[in-house]
């Protein structure tokens, strides 16, 4: 239900506001396994990329986003979980492998999994 709200209400608003230009969308399969690997230039990448793709995409996100306290922390955790994001502990090899294992399960199940190979936003 939340994904439907995001694609039918929020995505059109973001498209009108940011006016992203997409090239090569015909190369994105409408179903089946998909890995989306992108440069991470801005915090908003995780919203713009799924908004432009014709299917739901699952990202890994640093675990700090899921561990916030108070109302803001609970909201961010709920929001990211509702979008299907998977938490990953940065610097912890075992935890990172667990997140990648979840990504593999998503791909094997025919889903779309997105990752930023750089691991964090690009400084330039």
């Amino acid at each position: 239900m939340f994904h439907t709200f995001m694609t039918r209400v929020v995505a059109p608003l973001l498209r009108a506001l940011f006016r992203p230009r997409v090239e090569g969308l015909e190369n994105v399969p409408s179903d089946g396994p998909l890995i989306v690997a992108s440069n991470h230039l801005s915090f908003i990448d995780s919203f713009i990329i799924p908004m432009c793709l014709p299917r739901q995409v699952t990202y890994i996100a640093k675990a700090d986003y899921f561990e916030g306290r108070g109302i803001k922390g609970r909201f961010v955790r709920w929001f990211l979980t509702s979008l299907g994001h998977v938490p990953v502990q940065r610097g912890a090899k075992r935890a990172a492998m667990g997140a990648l294992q979840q990504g593999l399960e998503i791909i094997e199940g025919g889903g779309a999994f997105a990752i930023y190979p750089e691991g964090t936003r690009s400084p330039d």
Side-chain angles (χ1 to χ4, degrees), residues 2 4 21 30 39 44 49 61 66 95-96:
F2 184 71
T4 302
R21 191 183 83 214
S30 59
N39 292 337
I44 199 145
I49 293 170
F66 293 83

Side-chain angles (χ1 to χ4, degrees), residues 26-121:
E26 67 278 1
N27 298 314
V28 177
S30 59
D31 58 13
L34 173 67
I35 297 174
V36 177
S38 172
N39 292 337
H40 196 10
L41 302 177
S42 170
F43 177 76
I44 199 145
D45 294 340
S46 298
F47 299 99
I48 298 294
I49 293 170
M51 172 188 76
C52 294
L53 295 177
R55 57 191 289 189
Q56 187 169 1
V57 179
T58 299
Y59 273 93
I60 57 174
K62 66 180 177 179
D64 296 351
Y65 292 143
F66 293 83
E67 298 167 354
R69 298 179 184 266
I71 293 172
K72 179 183 176 188
R74 285 194 300 269
F75 175 76
V76 170
R77 183 173 39 257
W78 168 81
F79 184 75
L80 294 176
T81 302
S82 297
L83 290 176
H85 287 23
V86 175
V88 60
Q89 288 287 341
R90 298 173 85 186
K93 291 181 182 179
R94 281 215 159 131
M97 289 303 295
L100 291 176
Q101 182 62 39
Q102 285 183 283
L104 180 60
E105 291 170 10
I106 290 164
I107 293 164
E108 288 175 340
F113 183 70
I115 189 168
Y116 299 117
E118 297 167 331
T120 189
R121 286 189 293 277

Side-chain angles (χ1 to χ4, degrees), residues 1-13 78-79 83:
M1 181 166 138
F2 184 71
H3 183 261
T4 302
F5 170 75
M6 293 297 289
T7 57
R8 293 190 180 170
V9 177
V10 176
L13 293 173
W78 168 81
F79 184 75
L83 290 176

